């Protein structure tokens, strides 16, 4: 059961203490308190865990300071959708809204290789009105001998260039607790010219200790990639690890599944799960067409597979796109074969615009005709 307090009633208030002392006297009920800080207000949510079947909704609702009460029916307690659950499906970070109802594009470098590449990328993004990007500094690689990113050595120039070109959010994978500290330090040293979305890669989806650490901090939102070899349910439970530690600013990323059935693509595309994740949870859903397809292949229609697959995700209601670009893919240190070129940024964005408009038309069609 979730008891949601009226806006700005917090754990120091009389209302909260009265409710707390009531709950403490209940048998076999544990209480966890979450603060959800929005742009205009702070919401306090009290999660009651244990034998809550015996609790009366009306009784809990009758306490002063209580806004509403939700009986949890599904397993994803914090991020899931439950009956009569009106908790939001969006959050704002550094001025950018992330929601199940909108779409943000994160085109950028799979891995930061040089200041020149970062600058070329960010300049092109600004020219195309983009305020988000992806920039990998810490790269988990299959081979221990491959380039693993410039790590903290590139953070300062990445953040400074982001500030220079008006980039508000950079998605950046972290594979260790120390990376979060390094990002924090570099942001502080550069005067916080931009924001960072911490990315948990598919190899770490079930790295529960990392999830707990990233879930405990509430400064940065988190993009959790689905595990490439586990069920959707297992990956959604992993997202719940983040939220249960306090961070509800979570985006769920689909990036293809590892199976030879996906050949000749790098992974089999799983974007059919976009509506499923949106139905089961309140998380905005990201798609990563680059790591799904893994190449610049195109067919007789001249459309790159990456663009076809992006369109498939957008037409199904994706809320975020993470896509690899590089000023010179042949010289990229990581994943050059799947990177789009700068002259492909305009057609990419235009294609997304067309398909997003079609998705909105579909929404109107089905919502107007629903009885
Ligand atoms: C990435 O986005 O750079 C990446 C490594 O993705 P994934 O974890 O999905 O392989
Ligand atoms: Mn990559």
């Amino acid at each position: 059961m979730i008891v949601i307090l009226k806006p700005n009633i917090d754990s120091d208030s009389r209302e909260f203490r009265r409710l707390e002392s009531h709950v403490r006297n209940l048998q076999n009920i544990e209480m966890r308190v979450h603060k959800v800080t929005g742009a205009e207000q702070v919401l306090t949510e009290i999660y009651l865990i244990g034998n809550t079947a015996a609790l009366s909704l009306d009784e809990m609702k009758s306490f002063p300071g209580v806004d509403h009460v939700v009986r949890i029916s599904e397993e994803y307690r914090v991020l899931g959708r439950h009956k009569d659950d009106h908790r939001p499906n969006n959050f704002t970070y550094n001025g950018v809204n992330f929601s199940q109802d909108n779409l943000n594009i994160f085109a950028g470098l799979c891995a930061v290789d040089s200041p020149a590449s970062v600058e070329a990328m960010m300049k092109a993004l600004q020219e195309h009105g983009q305020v988000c990007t992806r920039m990998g500094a810490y790269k988990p690689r299959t081979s221990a001998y491959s380039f693993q990113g410039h790590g903290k050595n590139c953070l300062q120039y990445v953040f400074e260039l982001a500030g220079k070109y008006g980039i508000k959010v950079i998605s950046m994978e972290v594979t260790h607790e120390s990376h979060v500290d390094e990002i924090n330090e570099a942001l502080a040293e550069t005067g916080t010219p931009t924001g960072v979305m911490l990315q948990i890669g598919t190899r770490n989806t079930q790295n529960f200790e990392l999830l707990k650490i990233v879930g405990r901090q509430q400064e940065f939102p988190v993009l959790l990639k689905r595990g490439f070899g586990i069920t959707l349910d297992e990956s959604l439970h992993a997202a719940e690890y983040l939220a249960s530690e306090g961070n509800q600013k979570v985006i769920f990323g689909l990036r293809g599944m590892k199976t030879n059935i996906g050949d000749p693509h790098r992974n089999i595309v799983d974007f059919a799960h976009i509506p499923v994740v949106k139905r089961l949870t309140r998380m905005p859903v990201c798609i990563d067409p680059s790591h799904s397809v893994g190449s610049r292949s195109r067919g007789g229609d001249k459309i790159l597979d990456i663009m076809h697959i992006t369109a498939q995700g957008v037409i199904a209601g994706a809320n975020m796109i993470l896509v690899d670009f590089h000023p010179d893919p042949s010289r990229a240190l990581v994943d050059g074969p799947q990177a789009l070129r700068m002259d492909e940024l305009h057609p990419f964005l235009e294609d997304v615009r067309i398909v997003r408009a079609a998705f909105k038309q579909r929404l109107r069609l089905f919502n107007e005709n629903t009885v």
Side-chain angles (χ1 to χ4, degrees):
M1 181 177 281
I2 312 171
V3 180
I4 296 137
L5 302 188
K6 295 200 172 111
N8 301 322
I9 294 197
D10 63 16
S11 43
D12 295 329
S13 63
R14 245 185 327 142
E15 291 93 335
F16 179 90
R17 281 201 293 271
R18 192 162 150 203
L19 190 61
E20 185 183 34
S21 73
H22 173 75
V23 173
R24 296 262 179 252
N25 285 329
L26 298 170
Q27 298 279 307
N28 304 322
I29 304 262
E30 192 202 317
M31 160 170 177
R32 281 198 199 183
V33 181
H34 286 222
K35 269 204 170 113
V36 185
T37 309
E40 275 148 33
Q41 58 189 27
V42 178
L43 274 188
T44 301
E45 297 178 349
I46 303 173
Y47 286 75
L48 302 180
I49 299 162
N51 183 22
T52 57
L55 291 183
S56 141
L57 272 187
D58 287 338
E59 188 190 359
M60 297 311 291
K61 261 189 229 162
S62 70
F63 277 85
V66 171
D67 192 68
H68 60 287
V69 182
V70 176
R71 201 180 275 291
I72 295 176
S73 51
E74 301 289 340
E75 278 192 286
Y76 319 117
R77 293 180 193 200
V78 183
L79 292 171
R81 286 183 179 280
H82 310 291
K83 190 171 173 294
D84 299 326
D85 183 357
H86 305 299
R87 291 173 303 156
N89 64 8
N90 73 306
F91 62 85
T92 298
Y93 171 64
N94 206 26
V96 181
N97 186 34
F98 294 90
S99 160
Q100 284 195 337
D101 300 321
N102 71 358
L103 175 63
N104 291 293
I105 302 174
F106 284 61
L109 305 180
C110 177
V112 172
D113 46 13
S114 68
S117 302
V118 174
E119 180 145 27
M121 187 71 235
M122 292 191 177
K123 188 164 180 291
L125 289 170
Q126 188 183 48
E127 283 164 5
H128 288 85
Q130 298 300 303
V131 295
C132 299
T133 189
R134 56 159 297 146
M135 290 280 151
Y138 308 96
K139 299 303 300 177
R141 304 301 302 282
T142 304
S143 165
Y145 308 105
S146 301
F147 170 67
Q148 288 170 30
H150 288 309
K152 69 173 178 185
N153 297 332
C154 69
L155 296 182
Q156 289 215 2
Y157 69 77
V158 169
F159 295 159
E160 277 162 3
L161 286 167
K164 178 171 171 191
Y165 291 102
I167 300 293
K168 296 190 163 148
V169 188
I170 303 175
S171 180
M172 183 173 277
E173 180 164 353
V174 292
T175 60
H176 191 271
E177 172 174 16
S178 60
H179 302 160
V180 185
D181 298 335
E182 289 170 6
I183 288 170
N184 258 317
E185 280 158 27
L187 279 174
E189 276 161 23
T190 51
T192 318
T194 188
V196 172
M197 177 180 288
L198 302 177
Q199 188 177 318
I200 303 288
T202 193
R203 293 161 187 80
N204 275 316
T205 308
Q206 286 187 311
N207 182 340
F208 297 119
E209 296 311 313
L210 182 64
L211 295 178
K212 284 190 213 162
I213 285 155
V214 169
R216 251 171 244 145
Q217 64 77 38
Q218 296 200 32
E219 170 64 22
F220 304 114
V222 184
L223 167 63
L224 176 76
K225 294 275 198 95
R226 176 188 190 167
F228 55 23
I230 57 177
T231 63
L232 182 63
D233 178 58
E234 286 163 337
S235 292
L236 295 177
H237 277 295
E240 204 48 31
Y241 261 88
L242 296 164
S244 69
E245 293 291 331
N247 193 343
Q248 297 193 30
K249 291 184 224 149
V250 185
I251 294 184
F252 191 76
L254 298 171
R255 48 81 69 212
M257 302 297 293
K258 213 171 184 51
T259 155
N260 290 346
I261 299 169
D263 289 347
H265 289 156
R266 185 171 171 181
N267 290 285
I268 193 161
V269 183
D270 54 352
F271 298 171
H273 286 167
I274 294 166
V276 180
V277 178
K278 289 171 79 170
R279 177 165 75 235
L280 292 175
T281 78
R282 299 178 292 121
M283 288 185 279
V285 180
C286 173
I287 52 165
D288 178 342
S290 305
H291 289 83
S292 298
V293 172
S295 77
R296 295 180 42 84
S297 308
R298 72 179 93 213
D301 60 12
K302 304 236 170 22
I303 302 176
L304 288 162
D305 289 7
I306 288 181
M307 301 221 190
H308 269 304
I309 281 158
T310 302
Q312 289 166 18
V314 173
I315 202 80
N319 306 116
M320 172 171 159
I321 306 171
L322 195 70
V323 56
D324 291 1
F325 272 77
H326 197 280
D328 185 356
S330 66
R331 294 164 73 111
L333 296 179
V334 183
D335 284 348
Q338 70 192 25
L340 303 183
R341 299 185 314 251
M342 291 301 118
D343 63 338
E344 289 165 331
L345 183 58
H346 176 74
F348 182 86
L349 295 173
E350 188 56 12
D351 197 21
V352 169
R353 192 189 60 73
I354 294 167
V355 186
R356 177 75 186 165
F359 172 67
K360 286 190 180 158
Q361 261 180 309
R362 295 181 62 220
L363 274 183
R364 280 195 291 276
L365 176 67
F366 288 102
N367 285 293
E368 277 163 19
N369 293 343
T370 306
V371 191

